[in-house]
Amino acid sequence: MRVLVAEDEVPLADALAQGLRADGYVVDVAHDGVDAVWRATEYTYDVIVLDILLPQLSGYEVLKRIRAAGVWSPVMMLTAKDGEYDQADALDLGADDYLTKPFSYVVVLAHLRALLRRGRPERPPVLGAGDLSLDPATRNCHRAGATIELTARESAVLEYLLRRRGEVVSKADILAHVWDEYFAGDPNIVEVYVLRLRRKIDAPFGRSSLQTVRGAGYRLRESVQR
């Protein structure tokens, strides 16, 4: 198994690499973000151990760039930053695990084994259908290069439809996943939000990708010209 360790503290990186090699792993080490991006995109790794506070490019930026380049190797953040927002940002950007320093090598090794068992299925952080895209973490939405401003609820409805792209989803499905199964309001609220989305993601671009399937629900398809 090949591991990339991106850590700017040389003694720590060397100790971690030495331990992993003793346990049978093949280890490459990068001491800055630029080198980490280059190695991660040039070679294939079974898992990447990534610090956040790297010189030249932060671990966050490294993560964004390698995911944008289609690198889906499991990433474990190993960092001194222990704030809850630090962890949330890393996971939203595509990290698979997060451990804080100081750490136990035994625990690091156990986490690496868990990541290796999961493998590396493609998990693009940005959802899309044709030229429509949505980043669920930031709620940034774009179509044909234009930014679309969405409310939190509009974004949630669009996210659910994008995750079920091409499928017919019922009004009840949308209510259960975007509101909750105990929602006691008017179920026609779904129609209101679908109409709002059409006005934002379709109408200005001459599209009809968000369709009503009579008697069944709604379906989001690839970009369809009117």
Side-chain angles (χ1 to χ4, degrees), residues 126-130 132-136 141 155-166 220-221:
V126 177
L127 305 173
L132 174 67
S133 66
L134 173 71
D135 183 339
C141 182
S155 177
V157 173
L158 180 58
E159 178 183 350
Y160 182 66
L161 291 168
L162 282 168
R163 292 191 185 279
R164 303 284 297 274
R165 183 183 65 186
L220 185 67
R221 303 198 304 174

PDB file of all heavy atoms in Angstrom, residues 126-130 132-136 141 155-166 220-221:
ATOM      1  N   VAL A 126     -18.808  18.430  -5.776  1.00  0.00           N
ATOM      2  CA  VAL A 126     -19.726  19.313  -6.497  1.00  0.00           C
ATOM      3  C   VAL A 126     -20.674  18.457  -7.325  1.00  0.00           C
ATOM      4  O   VAL A 126     -20.244  17.605  -8.104  1.00  0.00           O
ATOM      5  CB  VAL A 126     -18.966  20.298  -7.401  1.00  0.00           C
ATOM      6  CG1 VAL A 126     -19.940  21.161  -8.197  1.00  0.00           C
ATOM      7  CG2 VAL A 126     -18.036  21.179  -6.565  1.00  0.00           C
ATOM      8  N   LEU A 127     -21.970  18.677  -7.137  1.00  0.00           N
ATOM      9  CA  LEU A 127     -22.985  17.935  -7.881  1.00  0.00           C
ATOM     10  C   LEU A 127     -23.298  18.668  -9.174  1.00  0.00           C
ATOM     11  O   LEU A 127     -23.226  19.895  -9.229  1.00  0.00           O
ATOM     12  CB  LEU A 127     -24.247  17.811  -7.035  1.00  0.00           C
ATOM     13  CG  LEU A 127     -24.064  17.190  -5.648  1.00  0.00           C
ATOM     14  CD1 LEU A 127     -25.376  17.293  -4.859  1.00  0.00           C
ATOM     15  CD2 LEU A 127     -23.616  15.748  -5.756  1.00  0.00           C
ATOM     16  N   GLY A 128     -23.682  17.926 -10.198  1.00  0.00           N
ATOM     17  CA  GLY A 128     -23.953  18.596 -11.458  1.00  0.00           C
ATOM     18  C   GLY A 128     -24.916  17.844 -12.349  1.00  0.00           C
ATOM     19  O   GLY A 128     -25.122  16.636 -12.216  1.00  0.00           O
ATOM     20  N   ALA A 129     -25.512  18.587 -13.275  1.00  0.00           N
ATOM     21  CA  ALA A 129     -26.350  18.037 -14.335  1.00  0.00           C
ATOM     22  C   ALA A 129     -26.139  18.936 -15.542  1.00  0.00           C
ATOM     23  O   ALA A 129     -26.636  20.063 -15.575  1.00  0.00           O
ATOM     24  CB  ALA A 129     -27.818  18.001 -13.934  1.00  0.00           C
ATOM     25  N   GLY A 130     -25.359  18.456 -16.502  1.00  0.00           N
ATOM     26  CA  GLY A 130     -25.021  19.319 -17.622  1.00  0.00           C
ATOM     27  C   GLY A 130     -24.186  20.493 -17.157  1.00  0.00           C
ATOM     28  O   GLY A 130     -23.193  20.318 -16.458  1.00  0.00           O
ATOM     29  N   LEU A 132     -25.215  22.773 -15.105  1.00  0.00           N
ATOM     30  CA  LEU A 132     -25.701  23.214 -13.792  1.00  0.00           C
ATOM     31  C   LEU A 132     -24.874  22.520 -12.719  1.00  0.00           C
ATOM     32  O   LEU A 132     -24.685  21.305 -12.759  1.00  0.00           O
ATOM     33  CB  LEU A 132     -27.180  22.838 -13.627  1.00  0.00           C
ATOM     34  CG  LEU A 132     -27.794  23.095 -12.248  1.00  0.00           C
ATOM     35  CD1 LEU A 132     -27.875  24.581 -11.954  1.00  0.00           C
ATOM     36  CD2 LEU A 132     -29.185  22.452 -12.175  1.00  0.00           C
ATOM     37  N   SER A 133     -24.360  23.286 -11.767  1.00  0.00           N
ATOM     38  CA  SER A 133     -23.561  22.692 -10.698  1.00  0.00           C
ATOM     39  C   SER A 133     -23.932  23.308  -9.356  1.00  0.00           C
ATOM     40  O   SER A 133     -24.354  24.466  -9.273  1.00  0.00           O
ATOM     41  CB  SER A 133     -22.064  22.895 -10.959  1.00  0.00           C
ATOM     42  OG  SER A 133     -21.715  24.264 -10.900  1.00  0.00           O
ATOM     43  N   LEU A 134     -23.756  22.494  -8.309  1.00  0.00           N
ATOM     44  CA  LEU A 134     -24.027  22.950  -6.943  1.00  0.00           C
ATOM     45  C   LEU A 134     -23.004  22.334  -6.016  1.00  0.00           C
ATOM     46  O   LEU A 134     -22.794  21.119  -6.025  1.00  0.00           O
ATOM     47  CB  LEU A 134     -25.434  22.537  -6.503  1.00  0.00           C
ATOM     48  CG  LEU A 134     -25.777  22.814  -5.030  1.00  0.00           C
ATOM     49  CD1 LEU A 134     -25.941  24.310  -4.793  1.00  0.00           C
ATOM     50  CD2 LEU A 134     -27.044  22.065  -4.616  1.00  0.00           C
ATOM     51  N   ASP A 135     -22.367  23.178  -5.210  1.00  0.00           N
ATOM     52  CA  ASP A 135     -21.483  22.710  -4.144  1.00  0.00           C
ATOM     53  C   ASP A 135     -22.301  22.712  -2.864  1.00  0.00           C
ATOM     54  O   ASP A 135     -22.602  23.774  -2.318  1.00  0.00           O
ATOM     55  CB  ASP A 135     -20.278  23.652  -4.017  1.00  0.00           C
ATOM     56  CG  ASP A 135     -19.275  23.169  -2.968  1.00  0.00           C
ATOM     57  OD1 ASP A 135     -19.673  22.381  -2.082  1.00  0.00           O
ATOM     58  OD2 ASP A 135     -18.110  23.583  -3.033  1.00  0.00           O
ATOM     59  N   PRO A 136     -22.708  21.526  -2.358  1.00  0.00           N
ATOM     60  CA  PRO A 136     -23.564  21.500  -1.165  1.00  0.00           C
ATOM     61  C   PRO A 136     -22.931  22.127   0.067  1.00  0.00           C
ATOM     62  O   PRO A 136     -23.635  22.629   0.933  1.00  0.00           O
ATOM     63  CB  PRO A 136     -23.806  20.000  -0.947  1.00  0.00           C
ATOM     64  CG  PRO A 136     -23.562  19.369  -2.278  1.00  0.00           C
ATOM     65  CD  PRO A 136     -22.454  20.185  -2.896  1.00  0.00           C
ATOM     66  N   CYS A 141     -23.864  27.882  -6.507  1.00  0.00           N
ATOM     67  CA  CYS A 141     -24.572  27.295  -7.640  1.00  0.00           C
ATOM     68  C   CYS A 141     -24.223  28.070  -8.901  1.00  0.00           C
ATOM     69  O   CYS A 141     -24.179  29.311  -8.890  1.00  0.00           O
ATOM     70  CB  CYS A 141     -26.080  27.323  -7.387  1.00  0.00           C
ATOM     71  SG  CYS A 141     -27.075  26.574  -8.690  1.00  0.00           S
ATOM     72  N   SER A 155     -31.436  25.587  -1.966  1.00  0.00           N
ATOM     73  CA  SER A 155     -30.235  24.797  -2.181  1.00  0.00           C
ATOM     74  C   SER A 155     -30.460  23.347  -1.760  1.00  0.00           C
ATOM     75  O   SER A 155     -30.008  22.404  -2.438  1.00  0.00           O
ATOM     76  CB  SER A 155     -29.065  25.402  -1.400  1.00  0.00           C
ATOM     77  OG  SER A 155     -27.902  24.618  -1.535  1.00  0.00           O
ATOM     78  N   ALA A 156     -31.153  23.151  -0.646  1.00  0.00           N
ATOM     79  CA  ALA A 156     -31.408  21.795  -0.152  1.00  0.00           C
ATOM     80  C   ALA A 156     -32.292  21.009  -1.119  1.00  0.00           C
ATOM     81  O   ALA A 156     -32.067  19.824  -1.363  1.00  0.00           O
ATOM     82  CB  ALA A 156     -32.048  21.862   1.229  1.00  0.00           C
ATOM     83  N   VAL A 157     -33.324  21.665  -1.663  1.00  0.00           N
ATOM     84  CA  VAL A 157     -34.194  20.993  -2.637  1.00  0.00           C
ATOM     85  C   VAL A 157     -33.402  20.633  -3.888  1.00  0.00           C
ATOM     86  O   VAL A 157     -33.484  19.504  -4.401  1.00  0.00           O
ATOM     87  CB  VAL A 157     -35.400  21.882  -3.005  1.00  0.00           C
ATOM     88  CG1 VAL A 157     -36.208  21.250  -4.142  1.00  0.00           C
ATOM     89  CG2 VAL A 157     -36.292  22.109  -1.795  1.00  0.00           C
ATOM     90  N   LEU A 158     -32.591  21.582  -4.369  1.00  0.00           N
ATOM     91  CA  LEU A 158     -31.801  21.319  -5.570  1.00  0.00           C
ATOM     92  C   LEU A 158     -30.781  20.212  -5.314  1.00  0.00           C
ATOM     93  O   LEU A 158     -30.557  19.347  -6.174  1.00  0.00           O
ATOM     94  CB  LEU A 158     -31.099  22.596  -6.025  1.00  0.00           C
ATOM     95  CG  LEU A 158     -30.227  22.457  -7.291  1.00  0.00           C
ATOM     96  CD1 LEU A 158     -31.062  21.944  -8.463  1.00  0.00           C
ATOM     97  CD2 LEU A 158     -29.580  23.796  -7.623  1.00  0.00           C
ATOM     98  N   GLU A 159     -30.166  20.213  -4.139  1.00  0.00           N
ATOM     99  CA  GLU A 159     -29.198  19.163  -3.816  1.00  0.00           C
ATOM    100  C   GLU A 159     -29.848  17.789  -3.876  1.00  0.00           C
ATOM    101  O   GLU A 159     -29.284  16.842  -4.449  1.00  0.00           O
ATOM    102  CB  GLU A 159     -28.604  19.386  -2.425  1.00  0.00           C
ATOM    103  CG  GLU A 159     -27.625  18.297  -2.016  1.00  0.00           C
ATOM    104  CD  GLU A 159     -27.090  18.465  -0.606  1.00  0.00           C
ATOM    105  OE1 GLU A 159     -27.318  19.526  -0.003  1.00  0.00           O
ATOM    106  OE2 GLU A 159     -26.444  17.521  -0.107  1.00  0.00           O
ATOM    107  N   TYR A 160     -31.038  17.668  -3.304  1.00  0.00           N
ATOM    108  CA  TYR A 160     -31.711  16.367  -3.314  1.00  0.00           C
ATOM    109  C   TYR A 160     -32.030  15.937  -4.744  1.00  0.00           C
ATOM    110  O   TYR A 160     -31.834  14.769  -5.117  1.00  0.00           O
ATOM    111  CB  TYR A 160     -32.989  16.432  -2.480  1.00  0.00           C
ATOM    112  CG  TYR A 160     -33.701  15.108  -2.407  1.00  0.00           C
ATOM    113  CD1 TYR A 160     -33.131  14.019  -1.748  1.00  0.00           C
ATOM    114  CD2 TYR A 160     -34.937  14.923  -3.023  1.00  0.00           C
ATOM    115  CE1 TYR A 160     -33.772  12.795  -1.690  1.00  0.00           C
ATOM    116  CE2 TYR A 160     -35.587  13.700  -2.976  1.00  0.00           C
ATOM    117  CZ  TYR A 160     -34.995  12.639  -2.311  1.00  0.00           C
ATOM    118  OH  TYR A 160     -35.625  11.418  -2.271  1.00  0.00           O
ATOM    119  N   LEU A 161     -32.508  16.857  -5.561  1.00  0.00           N
ATOM    120  CA  LEU A 161     -32.827  16.528  -6.946  1.00  0.00           C
ATOM    121  C   LEU A 161     -31.580  16.148  -7.735  1.00  0.00           C
ATOM    122  O   LEU A 161     -31.602  15.228  -8.558  1.00  0.00           O
ATOM    123  CB  LEU A 161     -33.536  17.714  -7.609  1.00  0.00           C
ATOM    124  CG  LEU A 161     -34.953  18.005  -7.094  1.00  0.00           C
ATOM    125  CD1 LEU A 161     -35.426  19.361  -7.597  1.00  0.00           C
ATOM    126  CD2 LEU A 161     -35.922  16.905  -7.539  1.00  0.00           C
ATOM    127  N   LEU A 162     -30.466  16.838  -7.475  1.00  0.00           N
ATOM    128  CA  LEU A 162     -29.222  16.515  -8.165  1.00  0.00           C
ATOM    129  C   LEU A 162     -28.696  15.146  -7.749  1.00  0.00           C
ATOM    130  O   LEU A 162     -28.146  14.405  -8.569  1.00  0.00           O
ATOM    131  CB  LEU A 162     -28.166  17.596  -7.890  1.00  0.00           C
ATOM    132  CG  LEU A 162     -28.311  18.887  -8.682  1.00  0.00           C
ATOM    133  CD1 LEU A 162     -27.404  19.978  -8.109  1.00  0.00           C
ATOM    134  CD2 LEU A 162     -27.969  18.659 -10.159  1.00  0.00           C
ATOM    135  N   ARG A 163     -28.838  14.818  -6.483  1.00  0.00           N
ATOM    136  CA  ARG A 163     -28.378  13.507  -6.020  1.00  0.00           C
ATOM    137  C   ARG A 163     -29.234  12.385  -6.607  1.00  0.00           C
ATOM    138  O   ARG A 163     -28.794  11.233  -6.675  1.00  0.00           O
ATOM    139  CB  ARG A 163     -28.385  13.443  -4.491  1.00  0.00           C
ATOM    140  CG  ARG A 163     -27.345  14.343  -3.839  1.00  0.00           C
ATOM    141  CD  ARG A 163     -27.173  14.069  -2.364  1.00  0.00           C
ATOM    142  NE  ARG A 163     -26.267  15.016  -1.734  1.00  0.00           N
ATOM    143  CZ  ARG A 163     -24.941  14.925  -1.770  1.00  0.00           C
ATOM    144  NH1 ARG A 163     -24.379  13.914  -2.414  1.00  0.00           N
ATOM    145  NH2 ARG A 163     -24.176  15.828  -1.172  1.00  0.00           N
ATOM    146  N   ARG A 164     -30.461  12.709  -7.019  1.00  0.00           N
ATOM    147  CA  ARG A 164     -31.342  11.723  -7.651  1.00  0.00           C
ATOM    148  C   ARG A 164     -31.535  12.068  -9.128  1.00  0.00           C
ATOM    149  O   ARG A 164     -32.590  11.775  -9.707  1.00  0.00           O
ATOM    150  CB  ARG A 164     -32.697  11.720  -6.919  1.00  0.00           C
ATOM    151  CG  ARG A 164     -32.618  11.433  -5.429  1.00  0.00           C
ATOM    152  CD  ARG A 164     -32.388   9.974  -5.145  1.00  0.00           C
ATOM    153  NE  ARG A 164     -33.498   9.180  -5.625  1.00  0.00           N
ATOM    154  CZ  ARG A 164     -34.618   8.949  -4.924  1.00  0.00           C
ATOM    155  NH1 ARG A 164     -34.755   9.475  -3.704  1.00  0.00           N
ATOM    156  NH2 ARG A 164     -35.574   8.195  -5.421  1.00  0.00           N
ATOM    157  N   ARG A 165     -30.518  12.666  -9.705  1.00  0.00           N
ATOM    158  CA  ARG A 165     -30.600  13.155 -11.089  1.00  0.00           C
ATOM    159  C   ARG A 165     -31.110  12.068 -12.033  1.00  0.00           C
ATOM    160  O   ARG A 165     -30.662  10.935 -12.005  1.00  0.00           O
ATOM    161  CB  ARG A 165     -29.208  13.595 -11.551  1.00  0.00           C
ATOM    162  CG  ARG A 165     -29.157  14.197 -12.932  1.00  0.00           C
ATOM    163  CD  ARG A 165     -27.738  14.525 -13.317  1.00  0.00           C
ATOM    164  NE  ARG A 165     -26.931  13.306 -13.423  1.00  0.00           N
ATOM    165  CZ  ARG A 165     -25.619  13.295 -13.642  1.00  0.00           C
ATOM    166  NH1 ARG A 165     -24.954  14.419 -13.736  1.00  0.00           N
ATOM    167  NH2 ARG A 165     -24.977  12.157 -13.749  1.00  0.00           N
ATOM    168  N   GLY A 166     -32.090  12.457 -12.864  1.00  0.00           N
ATOM    169  CA  GLY A 166     -32.652  11.536 -13.837  1.00  0.00           C
ATOM    170  C   GLY A 166     -33.755  10.667 -13.288  1.00  0.00           C
ATOM    171  O   GLY A 166     -34.468  10.009 -14.055  1.00  0.00           O
ATOM    172  N   LEU A 220     -35.073  15.987 -12.340  1.00  0.00           N
ATOM    173  CA  LEU A 220     -34.059  16.920 -12.821  1.00  0.00           C
ATOM    174  C   LEU A 220     -33.207  16.195 -13.858  1.00  0.00           C
ATOM    175  O   LEU A 220     -32.582  15.175 -13.551  1.00  0.00           O
ATOM    176  CB  LEU A 220     -33.184  17.428 -11.669  1.00  0.00           C
ATOM    177  CG  LEU A 220     -32.166  18.493 -12.059  1.00  0.00           C
ATOM    178  CD1 LEU A 220     -32.851  19.780 -12.460  1.00  0.00           C
ATOM    179  CD2 LEU A 220     -31.203  18.754 -10.916  1.00  0.00           C
ATOM    180  N   ARG A 221     -33.190  16.710 -15.064  1.00  0.00           N
ATOM    181  CA  ARG A 221     -32.435  16.075 -16.143  1.00  0.00           C
ATOM    182  C   ARG A 221     -31.245  16.944 -16.528  1.00  0.00           C
ATOM    183  O   ARG A 221     -31.061  18.053 -16.042  1.00  0.00           O
ATOM    184  CB  ARG A 221     -33.328  15.860 -17.363  1.00  0.00           C
ATOM    185  CG  ARG A 221     -34.581  15.033 -17.068  1.00  0.00           C
ATOM    186  CD  ARG A 221     -35.177  14.481 -18.330  1.00  0.00           C
ATOM    187  NE  ARG A 221     -35.490  15.525 -19.300  1.00  0.00           N
ATOM    188  CZ  ARG A 221     -35.923  15.289 -20.536  1.00  0.00           C
ATOM    189  NH1 ARG A 221     -36.070  14.046 -20.953  1.00  0.00           N
ATOM    190  NH2 ARG A 221     -36.211  16.293 -21.350  1.00  0.00           N
TER     191      ARG A 221
END
